[in-house]
Amino acid sequence: MIRTTCPYCGVGCGILATADGTIAGDPEHPANRGRICSKGAALGETLGSTARLSHPQIRGRTTGWDEALDLVAETFRQTISAPGPDAVALYVSGQLLTEDYYVANKLMKGFIGSANIDTNSRLCMASSVAGHIRAFGEDVVPGCYDDIEAADLVVLVGSNAAWCHPVLYQRLVAARDAHGTRIVVIDPRRTATCEIADLHLALRPGTDVPVFAGLLVHLVETGCCDPAWTRSPAAGFAAALDAARGAAPSLRAVAATADLPVADLTRFYDCFALTERTVSLYSQGVNQSAAGTDKVNAIINCHLATGRIGRPGMGPLSLTGQPNAMGGREVGGLANQLAAHTGFAAADVDRVRRFWNASHMAIRPGLKAVELFNAVLDGSVKALWIIGTNPAASMPRAGGVREALNNCPFVVVSDCWPTETTRLADVVLPAAGWGEKDGTVTNSERCISRQRAFRPAPGEARPDWWVVREVGRRMGWGEAFRYRGPAEIFREHAALSAFENDGGRIFDIGALAELSDEDYDRFQPVQWPLRRGRGAAGTSRLFNGPAKFATADGRARFVATPYRPLAEPTDRERPLVLNTGRVRDQWHTMTRSGRVPRLMTHKSAPVLDIHPEDAERLGLAAGGLARVESGYGATVLPVRLTAEQRVGEVFAPMHWTDSFTSSGPVDRLVGAVTDPVSGQPELKGTPVCLTPLSTRWRGCLLRRVAAPLPEGPYWWTRVPLDRGHAFDLAGWEPLLGRPSLDDWVSRLLGAPPEAELIAYADPGRGDFRFASIIDGRLDACLFLARLAAALPATDALVTVLGTEISPGMRRGLLAGRVNNHATTEDAQAICVCFAVGRRALCHAIVERRLTSLSEIGAALGAGTNCGSCLPELQQILRSVQRKQAPAA
Ligand code: SF4
């Protein structure tokens, strides 16, 4: 059993893992204390995938490392000599380990001589970084997870922690159950997190600044501010309060701007004002905004004004999305930072240059993510290396990013799996993945933990630090990139943090600079800072006084945050606001989580959530198709009617890509307006219009292989199965209108010429059924009908895919009689750990008279393992109880 950490979210849970894929939460890790969520629990099922990239490729041709690395190094070297270092760029990832991140930044900023290295963390928490630097003088998270449990009030802003940070959410639920923590959720959507909220403020998107400006004014007017924090003129409180009064001229004005009831707003303000132990958790709903930095500072202002920071149970706490977003910040992973929490001031540049003995030190910030891909598109960046991320699907204006990559003279992509981005690469480099490499990560509470290898990498896949080292050596910097392993890189990273650091830089892990390789192997989780000579205990909280910050005078800074509405307003042409975000069991663009069948059972397809009033006005029915169009692109999505959405706003998940659905990535629709301070793009406020498409037919397809389906016009989505793939299909043009139905069906089935094809057709009823059999085994089957209700359930047909088909079974198969009582509702797993579906759950609640989550757990096991499903179990329990309650 190896102690490692989860590669998904920023909670940074400790995991116990074995080479055979057995996974458990680590009871000794401070982040999770043995807990684990559904994604973490399924990690074992992501190991050993046959689809991994295992050998370097040059333009589709498999080759060896020497040829691939020589080509990368030589092309970069030529590009640096003309047109120059700024024509080279790296785009990396919060999935990288700190050691990978460190050497990539050193190569780019210290030796190639440009700061054109940015990271997908720009899309995640760049606004928090900028907000921290403005308020604290340095990018430092003041508190820790224990504060969530010690708080009397927890305010979640733009955070669906129940789905996106599930283990922290479980800790919050346990704290609420133990001592009655009050919980306020501020989010335009009624998310699963609202299940435990005492108050949900469903504010108009983009109005967080007026809400928190109004809170600051309220704190002043009710005498709740602490003069020790507000009285210093240098702290900027007067200007911040002026701006707050401008953004929030009165309670009624805030309520009108944010579209909230005055009574709810008053309740929140009073609750905050009267509760000293208050923690504000915020996440992508705050950060992913063209006003994200101001939102962050509007929240921090309220904590500074009351002195509620740096003490147990209080403080602002940004939840990072990715497992090592924080580690990336430590090494200067963002284009506007240098290593060890320094910037591009001349003294910082000189210090890092001397420490690295750098030959070509970057002297100014580089291009931030959106700017970087714009520069690729306009041809000023000519050689690009992408490591561990999939921008062709995840960047806003993803269509433009694809065009940029297509036009770029030289694109290198390092990854574990084929992606939309590797398809556009000149050189693909196979990366060692989770469980196959060693290094460290830092979670949202500054806790550094080890990731440890426990199985070999496939084929010739190598850790990213090794690949960067090899390129650096081949470019002529062998001495600077002589590392023998990640421990050596970590020691150098730790030493740099302490280099000429007299306490002015808070990020200091100098106490770890002399770890032996054995110490590094045994490394236990610890929170920075960890200065030389100050013991090995780490630091759980910082800033417990008004003059303990990383500014020139040591005082925190209040920041004036004027209100700016959504950067792109809706209008008559595009009257709805598109919000994007995560679902519970998927991660990023599904390159890992999308390979686990049981993680697809919670949400098996991308859907557009819309309020029933909007749906009725637009003529959209539940499950029907809508064409969604923004100023940047268009797609087709099925709709889900839900009052969890505000009227006038729709929501789509960010995960599904072209590999999984014809809808493609939703980021094709999203614009790329960025925050002027942080450069983080607005991902949650794109104006769109919807057009209903009347569904003429529905289909289900089961296939052994996942090869691409023929082009439209129709919608499809794919769900991986243990022995193949299930596709849902729907069309808005008549089936019989197709010029060659036979050819289209044959391409859908993917049937080779030797396949035996059996078919049934009733054109009058619009009913078509096909099966393709190879060597006596069912290779694919396809059902098409006018109505979804006429289709057999795909989860029942799955059981015969790839198996021998007897003559009797053939008849039954085409008649759709294979357990056709199952419905989609049955297939939706609520608890993926114990495979408990909605129907079984409702049945058990009624028949066994279950009245609480603990009774459900005792009866079915549901909710007793990872706990990710607890909010939905609670919703379903309430809904069944409401239906059963006698009419008043
Ligand atoms: Fe992994 Fe879940 Fe923990 Fe996040 S909460 S680190 S996804 S186990």
Side-chain angles (χ1 to χ4, degrees):
M1 191 70 87
I2 293 288
R3 289 204 134 80
T4 184
T5 45
C6 175
Y8 287 121
C9 83
V11 177
C13 296
I15 299 272
L16 299 174
T18 56
D20 69 358
T22 305
I23 299 291
D26 181 353
E28 292 178 20
H29 197 286
N32 55 320
R33 298 172 194 151
R35 292 181 174 94
I36 196 168
C37 79
S38 49
K39 288 190 290 287
L43 273 168
E45 289 145 76
T46 68
L47 302 170
S49 164
T50 51
R52 284 284 298 276
L53 294 169
S54 56
H55 293 83
Q57 293 166 30
I58 298 176
R59 298 182 183 99
R61 172 178 59 84
T62 298
T63 184
W65 276 106
D66 278 339
E67 190 190 7
L69 292 167
D70 284 345
L71 177 63
V72 174
E74 179 56 19
T75 309
F76 277 17
R77 200 187 55 71
Q78 284 178 10
T79 311
I80 292 165
S81 55
D86 286 338
V88 175
L90 264 67
Y91 185 63
V92 300
S93 166
Q95 307 289 127
L96 298 186
L97 304 184
T98 300
E99 292 75 1
D100 302 324
Y101 241 135
Y102 179 85
V103 288
N105 270 277
K106 182 176 176 181
L107 175 68
M108 195 67 200
K109 289 173 179 156
F111 292 84
I112 288 179
S114 166
N116 282 349
I117 172 167
D118 211 39
T119 156
N120 62 5
S121 295
R122 181 72 61 190
L123 314 184
C124 176
M125 46 78 234
S127 296
S128 280
V129 172
H132 290 160
I133 293 172
R134 291 204 301 188
F136 309 146
E138 189 174 329
D139 173 25
V140 178
V141 170
C144 59
Y145 296 162
D146 287 351
D147 290 329
I148 297 169
E149 284 150 347
D152 295 319
L153 169 67
V154 172
V155 183
L156 293 114
V157 196
S159 164
N160 181 10
W163 283 12
C164 303
H165 298 95
V167 164
L168 270 192
Y169 175 82
Q170 290 169 37
R171 288 179 63 169
L172 175 58
V173 172
R176 182 203 60 164
D177 292 348
H179 62 88
T181 316
R182 274 159 302 156
I183 295 164
V184 176
V185 175
I186 302 179
D187 195 312
R189 295 191 302 143
R190 182 172 176 81
T191 64
T193 303
C194 297
E195 277 307 306
I196 57 164
D198 298 283
L199 176 64
H200 171 212
L201 299 179
L203 77 177
R204 177 178 282 133
T207 59
D208 312 61
V209 164
V211 167
F212 280 90
L215 175 59
L216 186 65
V217 173
H218 180 82
L219 294 169
V220 171
E221 289 175 352
T222 52
C224 292
C225 292
D226 183 341
W229 290 75
T230 58
R231 70 178 161 224
S232 160
F237 182 70
L241 184 58
D242 268 359
R245 289 199 162 114
S250 69
L251 186 66
R252 288 197 176 279
V254 176
T257 304
D259 192 22
L260 291 170
V262 169
D264 286 356
L265 210 47
T266 305
R267 207 173 137 208
F268 167 53
Y269 287 178
D270 286 343
C271 190
F272 193 106
L274 297 172
T275 313
E276 186 175 29
R277 286 179 176 249
T278 294
V279 167
S280 298
L281 298 175
Y282 53 94
S283 194
Q284 316 313 2
V286 168
N287 294 331
Q288 291 180 333
S289 161
T293 312
D294 281 348
K295 291 181 184 179
V296 168
N297 286 113
I299 296 168
I300 293 174
N301 281 347
C302 296
H303 280 271
L304 293 177
T306 49
R308 292 178 192 161
I309 186 168
R311 291 181 286 148
M314 56 190 88
L317 180 52
S318 128
L319 299 179
T320 53
Q322 299 196 72
N324 198 29
M326 186 77 85
R329 288 144 74 169
E330 293 162 11
V331 303
L334 294 160
N336 51 321
Q337 290 184 323
L338 261 184
H341 278 209
T342 57
F344 282 87
D348 288 341
V349 171
D350 183 58
R351 187 187 313 109
V352 178
R353 180 186 60 72
R354 285 184 286 110
F355 183 85
W356 280 343
N357 196 18
S359 60
H360 304 88
M361 192 70 202
I363 55 169
R364 59 178 176 275
L367 298 169
K368 302 183 178 107
V370 169
E371 300 165 336
L372 190 154
F373 283 99
N374 286 343
V376 177
L377 186 62
D378 73 22
S380 40
V381 166
K382 298 184 185 307
L384 174 65
W385 187 359
I386 296 165
I387 307 179
T389 182
N390 186 11
S394 58
M395 279 291 292
R397 279 201 321 244
V401 169
R402 290 176 193 205
E403 193 187 334
L405 296 177
N406 260 324
N407 295 342
C408 185
F410 189 64
V411 177
V412 185
V413 181
S414 297
D415 212 320
C416 298
W417 282 284
T419 66
E420 286 70 20
T421 305
T422 59
R423 277 177 215 130
L424 301 171
D426 296 284
V427 179
V428 175
L429 303 175
W434 183 77
E436 299 158 359
K437 60 180 190 174
D438 282 292
T440 54
V441 290
T442 310
N443 71 6
S444 296
E445 61 166 354
R446 292 175 279 104
C447 182
I448 304 171
S449 301
R450 278 293 314 272
Q451 270 197 19
R452 294 181 171 92
F454 54 88
R455 44 187 290 132
E460 295 185 25
R462 295 281 185 273
D464 293 306
W465 68 263
W466 181 91
V467 183
V468 177
R469 179 193 76 175
E470 289 303 305
V471 170
R473 283 177 166 177
R474 283 158 210 258
M475 292 181 77
W477 304 305
E479 182 56 26
F481 292 90
R482 67 188 186 289
Y483 311 110
R484 285 164 299 154
E488 207 170 329
I489 301 168
F490 184 81
R491 284 191 287 269
E492 183 177 307
H493 162 57
L496 174 54
S497 75
F499 182 60
E500 297 177 359
N501 188 354
D502 57 1
R505 304 196 312 274
I506 294 170
F507 174 67
D508 183 342
I509 53 171
L512 305 173
E514 271 110 45
L515 286 186
S516 66
D517 287 0
E518 294 71 31
D519 292 338
Y520 183 74
D521 283 344
R522 289 192 295 262
F523 189 91
Q524 295 297 312
V526 67
Q527 284 174 279
W528 62 257
L530 202 66
R531 298 197 175 95
R532 257 192 206 112
R534 302 272 179 92
T539 314
S540 52
R541 294 180 191 87
L542 291 143
F543 307 146
N544 62 347
K548 298 198 173 183
F549 291 81
T551 54
D553 62 359
R555 297 197 72 94
R557 297 285 185 266
F558 293 90
V559 179
T561 59
Y563 170 49
R564 284 176 289 127
L566 284 181
E568 291 190 88
T570 53
D571 55 22
R572 284 166 62 95
E573 219 180 307
R574 298 193 183 93
L576 298 161
V577 176
L578 170 67
N579 186 358
T580 63
R582 293 184 176 169
V583 301
R584 190 188 79 188
D585 289 351
Q586 292 302 332
W587 180 254
H588 281 193
T589 58
M590 297 165 71
T591 47
R592 178 189 296 277
S593 57
R595 295 174 194 282
V596 182
R598 74 176 160 127
L599 289 183
M600 299 293 288
T601 54
H602 179 242
K603 302 278 179 198
S604 61
V607 294
L608 186 79
D609 284 350
I610 183 169
H611 193 279
E613 279 180 30
D614 284 326
E616 188 180 355
R617 191 170 43 76
L618 293 164
L620 282 162
L625 297 175
R627 179 180 154 83
V628 190
E629 188 175 345
S630 75
Y632 311 96
T635 192
V636 172
L637 282 162
V639 298
R640 183 177 83 109
L641 275 46
T642 170
E644 293 161 4
Q645 279 302 123
R646 284 168 46 93
V647 172
E649 294 155 26
V650 292
F651 174 86
M654 59 172 274
H655 310 286
W656 275 263
T657 66
D658 316 61
S659 308
F660 288 91
T661 175
S662 59
S663 303
V666 75
D667 279 317
R668 279 201 308 223
L669 273 60
V670 173
V673 183
T674 55
D675 180 284
V677 183
S678 69
Q680 182 154 359
E682 171 71 71
L683 298 174
K684 293 183 173 291
T686 306
V688 294
C689 62
L690 304 189
T691 313
L693 296 171
S694 102
T695 309
R696 309 291 287 266
W697 57 270
R698 307 291 303 217
C700 59
L701 167 68
L702 293 180
R703 234 167 65 166
R704 296 276 286 152
V705 295
L709 297 192
E711 293 284 307
Y714 64 103
W715 172 87
W716 62 264
T717 191
R718 174 174 70 86
V719 175
L721 308 167
D722 288 331
R723 288 185 295 177
H725 304 266
F727 297 80
D728 273 344
L729 306 101
W732 51 92
E733 292 191 354
L735 265 182
L736 291 175
R738 288 177 179 273
S740 174
L741 183 62
D742 289 349
D743 178 53
W744 182 69
V745 163
S746 158
R747 286 193 292 143
L748 280 175
L749 290 167
E754 69 273 18
E756 180 192 349
L757 202 62
I758 54 177
Y760 164 86
D762 183 344
R765 294 175 55 201
D767 192 353
F768 302 87
R769 301 170 185 209
F770 308 89
S772 158
I773 295 173
I774 300 176
D775 295 334
R777 293 171 184 275
L778 180 65
D779 189 64
C781 56
L782 171 66
F783 295 80
L784 303 166
R786 289 206 182 112
L787 298 173
L791 297 169
T794 52
D795 54 327
L797 296 168
V798 164
T799 58
V800 294
L801 188 64
T803 64
E804 282 198 27
I805 301 297
S806 67
M809 284 175 73
R810 291 178 192 210
R811 246 189 344 270
L813 187 72
L814 284 189
R817 287 198 196 111
V818 183
N819 186 18
N820 60 0
H821 300 298
T823 67
T824 308
E825 193 173 74
D826 297 332
Q828 189 202 357
I830 301 301
C831 171
V832 295
C833 298
F834 290 95
V836 178
R838 182 180 290 270
R839 177 181 285 256
L841 180 62
C842 296
H843 182 77
I845 292 170
V846 174
E847 292 301 315
R848 298 161 81 169
R849 299 177 190 213
L850 307 177
T851 60
S852 67
L853 294 182
S854 54
E855 286 178 15
I856 290 174
L860 303 171
T864 59
N865 186 35
C866 76
S868 299
C869 60
L870 287 171
E872 278 160 298
L873 292 179
Q874 184 72 59
Q875 273 175 355
I876 292 166
L877 176 64
R878 279 207 201 116
S879 147
V880 173
Q881 285 172 333
R882 266 198 304 270
K883 280 185 199 153
Q884 286 199 304

